[in-house]
Amino acid sequence: MKKVITYGTYDLLHYGHIRLLERAKELGDYLIVGVTADDFDKARGKINVQQSLSERIEAVRKTGIADEIIAEEYEGQKIDDIIKYNVDIFTVGTDWVGYFDYLKEYCEVVYLPRTEGVSSSEIREKKRNLNLGIVGNSPFLHKVINEGQYVNGLCISGMYTDNRSRFEKKVTNLVDSYEDLLSVSDAIYVHAMPAQHYELTKKAILAGKHVLCESPIALKKAECEELFELAAEHGVQLIEALKTAYSLAFHRLLLMVKGGKIGDIISVDAVCTSLKDYEELERKEWGSLWNSMAGWGPTALLPIFQLLGTEYTSCELTGRYIDDDHTFDIFAKAAFGFPKALASMKVGNGVKSEGELIISGTKGYIYVPAPWWKTDYFEIRYENPADNKRYFYQLEGEGIRNELVAFNKCVEFGKPDYYITRNVSVAIAQVMEMFEDKDKVRII
Ligand code: CTP
């Protein structure tokens, strides 16, 4: 019996796939189809696959062409499979010519002509085109515009900024007013100074636009709640843009902790800092910089509120400021008490420390090395080091790409609870508000 094997993602199964499978089957007597698992696909850059692995396997099964279906989960698996299943022929479409010649050592390799005029990417692109307008002035937005190109179904419709000179060289679709931006967009990405987020987000929601707003969404609890109410009334999504929340490693880490891998959680301790040019700070150029609490606070608060909830019983705040009026904090600390746990966050903008995340439990702890907010790696550590486990997940495009894909999906299918919930966004805004009230802050 001649065994044939072929691999693919088979997202939104189309006739190009079916023709490939039919011809693959004709090469032998028994066809094995490897369907690429989500994580592995992400590592290869296909990050906007619309269907889950089980849906894609089911679609291939329904064609009735495959004799056996397997999941492809790791790099190098093809060699393992060819040996394990005693495969005679490996085949894929001509879009891969030459790429799999290394398998000739193990079996015959056949490249079948690809069907012209159809691909999963094109179908995804056509399925929905979300016109995303960008508002703000941070140089970070260059990255967002660049990453937006990799997300199927998303198109950067324009940008409005009050710092035109920073963007006009590279951004071709700058518009003259925020109203103009709203008129050409279905959704808005807000990344202005924190104090502007509330107004910009509100205007967008009132115009019926979905909003992806950089953290913090608002600097007051009531304002944040109001925005979520407004979004619900207008039937649009309001999502907090906090890259870490959308990274695969961070998501898996949360699942492992909630699944009891380290027992009961006793303490969550997060540190996020970045060093700034001190002279620049002292020249009072901090008017255009994010203070430590607004810049890093939401990120450091994220694992605390996502793991321990938002019902803390105490919160002690400390701030260190660059100016006598206590306008710009270069360092802030928050210590939380929960009924059965503790948490702390330490943030700095102009102060440097080890940016790690440690989650302590009754059975072990999780250690995420610096910079933990760009998590692609973490360890679960136990009393006996031999039991320790390391986990690695590829992070694409600093996490911006995943965030845009997640937003795109939320607009299409609704927001799943495992992203930042309204409660967490509101709790973050509340900490911002408390920190603004200098009576509530111990000033050092
Ligand atoms: N294929 C084909 N003809 C097409 C599309 C795909 O013969 N028009 C083949 C590919 O060469 C591959 C298999 O079908 O052997 C699975 O391809 P996959 O990557 O899942 O599909 P694409 O439509 O190419 O997906 P994408 O657009 O995301 O790259």
Side-chain angles (χ1 to χ4, degrees):
M1 186 170 66
K2 213 174 202 177
K3 279 191 172 178
V4 182
I5 198 161
T6 187
Y7 295 85
T9 311
Y10 306 104
D11 190 29
L12 309 170
L13 198 91
H14 53 70
Y15 73 89
H17 293 144
I18 296 173
R19 286 201 52 208
L20 187 285
L21 293 176
E22 284 169 347
R23 285 172 295 151
K25 177 79 182 247
E26 283 165 13
L27 292 174
D29 313 299
Y30 189 86
L31 177 65
I32 303 170
V33 179
V35 181
T36 310
D38 298 0
D39 295 357
F40 180 58
D41 245 13
K42 285 192 178 116
R44 297 187 314 150
K46 286 203 186 192
I47 71 156
N48 199 17
V49 172
Q50 306 266 303
Q51 294 180 297
S52 66
L53 177 63
S54 53
E55 285 170 324
R56 290 181 284 117
I57 287 180
E58 183 55 16
V60 172
R61 194 191 60 75
K62 275 195 183 146
T63 65
I65 306 169
D67 295 290
E68 191 168 343
I69 302 173
I70 57 171
E72 185 191 24
E73 287 165 320
Y74 57 89
E75 205 105 31
Q77 186 183 323
K78 292 186 179 75
I79 296 177
D80 268 355
D81 290 341
I82 289 167
I83 296 168
K84 184 161 121 196
Y85 296 103
N86 221 344
V87 166
D88 301 286
I89 298 174
F90 167 92
T91 184
V92 279
T94 40
D95 39 330
W96 296 102
V97 166
Y99 196 84
F100 292 108
D101 287 356
Y102 70 94
L103 295 173
K104 284 183 180 163
E105 203 182 318
Y106 306 92
C107 67
E108 191 182 335
V109 174
V110 177
Y111 297 104
L112 289 168
R114 188 179 158 92
T115 306
E116 292 301 320
V118 60
S119 80
S120 302
S121 303
E122 257 171 51
I123 301 174
R124 286 194 291 262
E125 196 72 44
K126 278 188 199 141
K127 247 184 101 198
R128 178 176 180 100
N129 222 345
L130 185 72
N131 290 305
L132 181 69
I134 310 259
V135 61
N137 39 31
S138 160
F140 170 81
L141 290 170
H142 279 302
K143 290 186 189 170
V144 175
I145 293 168
N146 187 39
E147 290 296 314
Q149 295 165 14
Y150 295 96
V151 180
N152 288 152
L154 191 135
C155 160
I156 305 292
S157 55
M159 177 182 193
Y160 173 63
T161 177
D162 51 21
N163 190 344
R164 276 190 92 94
S165 58
R166 175 175 277 164
F167 294 96
E168 60 197 357
K169 264 194 201 140
K170 287 195 184 149
V171 182
T172 51
N173 50 1
L174 287 179
V175 296
D176 294 329
S177 70
Y178 191 39
E179 283 65 32
D180 286 352
L181 185 70
L182 292 172
S183 71
V184 294
S185 311
D186 311 308
I188 300 291
Y189 182 98
V190 177
H191 190 320
M193 290 305 286
Q196 298 170 300
H197 286 178
Y198 166 73
E199 281 302 333
L200 290 168
T201 301
K202 189 170 173 176
K203 269 193 190 166
I205 294 173
L206 290 175
K209 313 297 171 187
H210 305 280
V211 179
L212 176 62
C213 180
E214 194 66 29
S215 273
I217 290 179
L219 295 176
K220 290 197 167 59
K221 182 186 177 200
E223 287 180 351
C224 189
E225 281 172 335
E226 181 198 337
L227 291 175
F228 277 103
E229 299 292 323
L230 275 180
E233 268 169 41
H234 286 75
V236 294
Q237 290 290 347
L238 169 58
I239 310 278
E240 185 146 5
L242 220 168
K243 294 191 299 290
T244 311
Y246 304 97
S247 91
L248 185 61
F250 186 71
H251 180 60
R252 292 287 159 89
L253 177 156
L254 293 183
L255 293 179
M256 281 186 204
V257 177
K258 289 183 177 171
K261 280 263 181 195
I262 57 166
D264 294 341
I265 312 167
I266 303 299
S267 179
V268 179
D269 301 279
V271 181
C272 302
T273 65
S274 46
L275 217 47
K276 280 278 161 319
D277 176 353
Y278 220 81
E279 285 176 9
E280 188 187 350
L281 287 171
E282 287 195 318
R283 283 198 304 270
K284 289 203 190 322
E285 284 175 9
W286 32 264
S288 60
L289 293 173
W290 288 47
N291 57 316
S292 72
M293 185 51 116
W296 282 119
T299 306
L301 292 168
L302 182 74
I304 297 176
F305 292 147
Q306 285 195 317
L307 287 168
L308 298 173
T310 54
E311 302 290 312
Y312 49 87
T313 47
S314 65
C315 171
E316 285 166 28
L317 298 167
T318 307
R320 166 79 150 82
Y321 298 82
I322 191 135
D323 57 316
D324 296 335
D325 300 332
H326 307 136
T327 320
F328 191 90
D329 48 287
I330 50 167
F331 179 81
K333 191 170 175 177
F336 297 92
F338 287 83
K340 287 188 179 288
L342 291 173
S344 75
M345 57 134 263
K346 211 162 78 174
V347 293
N349 198 3
V351 173
K352 196 69 190 162
S353 186
E354 184 71 15
E356 60 191 13
L357 169 66
I358 297 175
I359 306 163
S360 318
T362 51
K363 288 186 184 157
Y365 71 99
I366 294 212
Y367 173 70
V368 193
W372 73 264
W373 53 91
K374 290 186 187 171
T375 318
D376 58 5
Y377 170 79
F378 63 89
E379 289 181 32
I380 301 190
R381 294 180 177 174
Y382 297 100
E383 186 73 22
N384 178 358
D387 297 333
N388 291 357
K389 286 209 165 65
R390 298 180 176 85
Y391 296 87
F392 184 84
Y393 303 90
Q394 190 75 34
L395 183 72
E396 304 294 335
E398 287 185 36
I400 300 170
R401 211 178 294 177
N402 280 346
E403 182 176 272
L404 294 174
V405 169
F407 179 60
N408 203 9
K409 284 192 178 164
C410 287
V411 167
E412 197 169 354
F413 305 110
K415 181 165 121 183
D417 266 355
Y418 50 79
Y419 290 148
I420 308 175
T421 59
R422 172 188 163 145
N423 280 355
V424 170
S425 293
V426 170
I428 288 174
Q430 187 174 20
V431 174
M432 299 300 129
E433 183 172 355
M434 287 191 290
F435 195 74
E436 281 299 297
D437 179 354
K438 297 298 169 264
D439 291 340
K440 294 204 167 91
V441 181
R442 185 159 60 105
I443 295 169
I444 55 169

